[in-house]
Every structure is written in C-alpha cells, then in structure tokens.
Amino acid sequence: MRLIGLEKVKKIYFIGIGGISMSALAKFLSVNGYEVSGSDEQRGEETENLAFYGVRFFVGVDRAREEIENADAVVYTDAIPTDHSELSFAKLLNKKLYSRAELLSIVCGSFPHVISVAGSHGKTTCTSMCAHVLKSASLPFTAHIGGEDAEFGNFYLSGREYFVTEACEYKKNLLKISSDVAVLLNIDKDHMECYDGEEDLIDCFRRYCESASSAFICADDKKCARLGDFPCFGIENPLADYRAVDLRAVGECYSFTVEEYGKALCRVRLKAIGRCNVYNALAAFSAARALGLSEKEIANGLESFRAVKRRFEKIGTYRGASLVCDYAHHPREICSTVRTAMGVCRGDLYVVFQPHTYSRTKLLLGEFISVLRPLKNLMIYKTYPAREKFDAEGSAEMLARAIGNCLYAENAYVLRTWMKKTVKEGDMVLFLGAGDIYYVAQYLLREL
C-alpha cells in the first residue's frame, strides 16, 4: 500500500527512531510495504522490538550515513536540533525530508476516519482507551500510541477504517492533523517555548478543535472553558454533556455511571488506578458515541483497558515496599499521581522526582515548589535534559535548594544508599519523571 504523499518512496530512514511515537510510525510503514531503517543514540527495548516488524536499527554515524544515502526519504523527530549531524547530511544530499508531525499527517490522510486525542496530560492513556473501545466494537482500526499499552504496545493494526492517535501540542504539531473526532482532555502551561504566551497556547487548542468534524472538551478544565461552545465531558460540571456520577473507588480503581445529556446510560468499572482515568474514560466514551457505538460496546472496551507502561506501573518490591513508576513530569500530573499513591500506600510514601528539561523547571518553578514542598520524604534526582544544554537556573540541584526540606541525588548510587537506609515493609517508593528515571528504578530493583 502506497500512501498519498509517499507514492514515489520505497526506502525510508528515521532519525530518532527509538522514540515511542517514531517507532510506531516506522512499524506502520513497514507493514505497508516500505523498506524502513533508522538510528538513535542507543539501543533499548523499543529498538529491539522494531526487528519483529522488519525495521533495521543502527547506532553509529558511519552506517547511518550509508543508509541515508540509499534512502528515498528521511523522517526526523521534532526534538532534534536543526544542526543534527544526520539531518544535516540528509539536507546536503537534498533528500526528501519529513518531520514526525508531517509523516503522521500523511498517515492520517490514508484513513477514512481519524480519532485524535490532545491535551497537556493523559493523551496516551485516553488514546489506549479509545483503541480498546474500537476493538470491543470489532471495528477495523489502527492505533498509534505515544506509550506502551499493556495489550497493544505502541502500535496495533486490525484494519484501515479507523485511525486513533495522539495530537501533540509541541511546536503546534496537533494543527497538522485532520480529525473526524477530536478530544481535548485539558490545557496546561507546557512546551511554552513553542508559544507566544498562554493565549497563543489556548488559541492553538481552539483551532485544533474547530478543525475537526466533532470535538469534545473537558467541562471541568478552566482553560478549556475559554475555547467556546463545544460538546463536553466532566465530573464536577452539572452541564457536561457526558458526565460521570456516583463515583466509587476500591483501591483507587473507580467505577461510575455515565450520563448522556442527563440520561443515565451505563455503569463503567475501570481497572486503571487513579481518578484522572475517569476523565480519560469519559473522553473516550464521548468520542465513541460520536462514532455511533453503543454504551455496552464502549463500557466493555473501557473495562478491558488495564494500564499503560510508566503510568502508575508497579515494577517490583524491595523489603516488602512497592516500587512504582509514573511518567508524571508536570506539577499537575505530580499532584494527581501523589494523591493516587497516598490512597493505596499502607506505610510511608517516598517520592523520587526527576525534572524533565531545564526550561520546564524554570518556567514552572513556583508550581513545582508548591506541589513538592509538602512531601515529607522527597528525593530530587538529576535533571533529564532531553534536547537541552545545561542551565543552572533550571537544574534539579537548584530545585532541591528552592524546596528546602528534601534530598538531592546526582546518581543511582546515592538513591540505592538512601533506599537501603529508609525503606521498610508496607512503604511505597514512587519514581516520577519522563526521563531515564524509569530505567534507574529498574536498575535499583535489580541491584537491591
């Protein structure tokens, strides 16, 4: 199958193929008959998984250049700098270039129906929930997920009628997606280096919603309320078109009744932990109703969803204490995850937080301090810089000093020593961050 926009392309090379979203796109192209290869800075679980889809992976500039020379087109992740050596080489050879967002737009255009999920928080979980609903309804669909669903991974293909994907606000990439059904979970200050202030950010989300045939926004989110009159979902707002009522929780797993325009439809019992997942489920429910699915099909799909990797994921135990990892790297996400942890922790809660990028720490410093300072047992781990150069004003050390009543760890050895001295049965160690803290936690589990 040749996609419109890639008709003359046979061989495609990915720069930064190890990213979850990038690798999912690489898998999609491979199963559609393209010859796909790519590179990244190091090998990992996701790069090893690419081999099952016939995608070749390389580490090293020399071999990468050979692949680029033979490629018809080059795809690059939006996060790499413009002077990246492989990207510069591809430009020198006058290769056809596609950003990740541009390629995703082409993929979306190859499907009759597109469901996209946007928002500052929760996109991956809600996208996975939508995929489970489509499977429950036995619809032919493809899922492009920005994380690893427990059943689907980051890519799933059962047909080419429906395409469900995440719409990322980084560099306004969500505006490149044309959707039949668009979902907006929330709006928060993030990726602000790509925007001219908060109003520009809100306007971007407004344009995203307006571009879709149908759009659903969160009725309980204050910034979403500034977008205008769109169909909405929520818990607190009694005017929400789709509302969760009669919430009950067992071990932080929620059940609720869904009301549609004031009429009770069905009861949904989630397996995923956390109140935030009620919003994700409502958003998926709204989108599925726009597709004409029955409440039973939707409820069954939502109840089949278990978890996404790095979303309150228990990776093991140490001395009877639970070790849990979560992707939370924004103050609002941290607050929500810590609240969930407190609801299930039987002993003391220990939090290890790794800041993600210096710029985010600087921009949201006051909010980080407000959320983290009340925690009694807090360890700040060295910053994951991603694409950024060191900035002392946004460093993890600076954040630790600003918080005051916490510890700072420069390496895994410090964390290991700290855990050996403090952790006991019934406690929970919560590792938070979108960087390599997940792999640090796995390393500690093996070592301890």
Side-chain angles (χ1 to χ4, degrees):
M1 177 185 175
R2 284 290 179 265
L3 307 184
I4 297 175
L6 297 177
E7 297 95 338
K8 297 181 180 180
V9 173
K10 293 183 179 179
K11 297 181 179 180
I12 303 178
Y13 187 80
F14 279 69
I15 301 173
I17 200 171
I20 296 293
S21 179
M22 287 282 278
S23 66
L25 289 172
K27 293 172 186 176
F28 175 81
L29 292 178
S30 183
V31 300
N32 277 282
Y34 293 89
E35 187 177 328
V36 184
S37 61
S39 64
D40 217 313
E41 294 181 357
Q42 59 187 9
R43 294 186 180 275
E45 291 180 39
E46 191 48 46
T47 56
E48 296 299 324
N49 188 31
L50 288 169
F52 290 103
Y53 289 86
V55 178
R56 302 191 311 280
F57 172 77
F58 306 98
V59 175
V61 175
D62 293 338
R63 185 58 189 274
R65 290 196 169 196
E66 179 184 334
E67 290 290 317
I68 292 173
E69 286 179 342
N70 295 325
D72 300 312
V74 173
V75 179
Y76 59 95
T77 174
D78 300 285
I80 66 170
T82 54
D83 61 351
H84 187 277
S85 60
E86 291 178 31
L87 182 59
S88 298
F89 185 64
K91 290 177 180 177
L92 183 66
L93 296 179
N94 201 29
K95 293 293 180 179
K96 182 66 177 176
L97 299 176
Y98 298 92
S99 69
R100 183 205 67 88
E102 289 169 338
L103 176 60
L104 179 58
S105 177
I106 290 173
V107 171
C108 287
S110 69
F111 286 81
H113 305 289
V114 175
I115 304 96
S116 63
V117 180
S120 303
H121 320 292
K123 291 187 293 292
T124 296
T125 298
C126 185
T127 303
S128 293
M129 287 181 171
C130 288
H132 280 267
V133 170
L134 292 173
K135 184 180 180 184
S136 172
S138 300
L139 294 176
F141 77 98
T142 299
H144 170 251
I145 304 171
E148 294 184 53
D149 178 83
E151 180 179 348
F152 300 140
N154 67 342
F155 171 71
Y156 181 83
L157 189 154
S158 69
R160 293 180 174 85
E161 183 73 17
Y162 296 87
F163 185 68
V164 57
T165 185
E166 296 182 27
C168 180
E169 71 274 18
Y170 181 60
K171 293 187 176 180
K172 301 186 179 181
N173 285 336
L174 76 174
L175 297 181
K176 293 183 172 69
I177 295 177
S178 179
S179 309
D180 293 278
V181 181
V183 167
L184 179 55
L185 297 166
N186 40 62
I187 301 176
D188 222 332
K189 289 190 294 183
D190 205 4
H191 300 303
M192 293 306 294
E193 70 277 13
C194 308
Y195 294 89
D196 295 326
E198 187 175 87
E199 287 304 318
D200 187 29
L201 173 69
I202 293 173
D203 182 64
C204 181
F205 280 113
R206 180 186 292 109
R207 291 162 61 195
Y208 161 75
C209 292
E210 289 175 343
S211 69
S213 300
S214 300
F216 297 89
I217 67 175
C218 182
D220 295 346
D221 188 274
K222 292 181 179 179
K223 291 186 176 66
C224 282
R226 293 162 61 181
L227 296 184
D229 188 19
F230 290 97
C232 56
F233 56 89
I235 301 173
E236 308 299 336
N237 192 330
L239 299 179
D241 300 304
Y242 290 89
R243 191 180 180 205
V245 298
D246 190 21
L247 272 68
R248 301 175 188 176
V250 178
E252 285 300 304
C253 289
Y254 281 79
S255 65
F256 55 92
T257 296
V258 178
E259 286 186 350
E260 182 182 53
Y261 305 112
K263 177 184 176 182
L265 286 185
C266 61
R267 190 80 184 166
V268 176
R269 296 169 178 80
L270 298 178
K271 295 183 177 67
I273 291 178
R275 191 173 185 269
C276 59
N277 283 315
V278 177
Y279 284 103
N280 294 328
L282 277 175
F285 199 104
S286 305
R289 289 296 277 177
L291 298 176
L293 303 189
S294 70
E295 57 266 35
K296 183 177 180 181
E297 289 171 325
I298 303 170
N300 288 342
L302 293 174
E303 290 175 358
S304 70
F305 171 77
R306 288 179 287 141
V308 173
K309 194 173 184 179
R310 294 187 73 168
R311 271 64 175 183
F312 212 82
E313 177 190 358
K314 181 179 178 179
I315 63 169
T317 59
Y318 168 61
R319 290 182 179 170
S322 298
L323 272 59
V324 176
C325 294
D326 195 274
Y327 202 70
H329 57 287
H330 187 281
R332 184 167 166 179
E333 296 168 343
I334 294 169
C335 185
S336 175
T337 306
V338 169
R339 186 186 301 117
T340 299
M342 289 178 172
V344 295
C345 181
R346 295 183 291 110
D348 293 325
L349 176 64
Y350 294 89
V351 177
V352 180
F353 172 60
Q354 180 186 46
H356 190 268
T357 72
Y358 304 108
S359 60
R360 180 180 284 110
T361 304
K362 285 175 65 174
L363 175 68
L364 304 174
L365 180 61
E367 293 176 46
F368 277 119
I369 293 173
S370 177
V371 168
L372 294 170
R373 183 173 281 168
L375 302 182
K376 294 181 180 179
N377 305 301
L378 174 65
M379 174 73 79
I380 302 295
Y381 191 69
K382 65 178 179 179
T383 300
Y384 186 80
R387 56 196 173 273
E388 297 181 348
K389 295 180 180 179
F390 178 77
D391 183 349
E393 294 182 6
S395 69
E397 291 177 276
M398 180 281 302
L399 176 61
R401 289 195 300 270
I403 293 170
N405 59 332
C406 67
L407 301 175
Y408 171 75
E410 179 66 25
N411 53 53
Y413 176 78
V414 175
L415 284 182
R416 185 177 67 174
T417 303
W418 173 65
M419 287 176 62
K420 288 176 71 173
K421 289 182 178 180
T422 58
V423 174
K424 63 185 183 303
E425 185 173 354
D427 292 347
M428 177 184 292
V429 184
L430 183 61
F431 296 88
L432 300 177
D436 59 3
I437 191 65
Y438 180 71
Y439 304 102
V440 171
Q442 291 180 320
Y443 164 77
L444 289 171
L445 184 61
R446 291 194 301 270
E447 289 294 300
L448 290 170

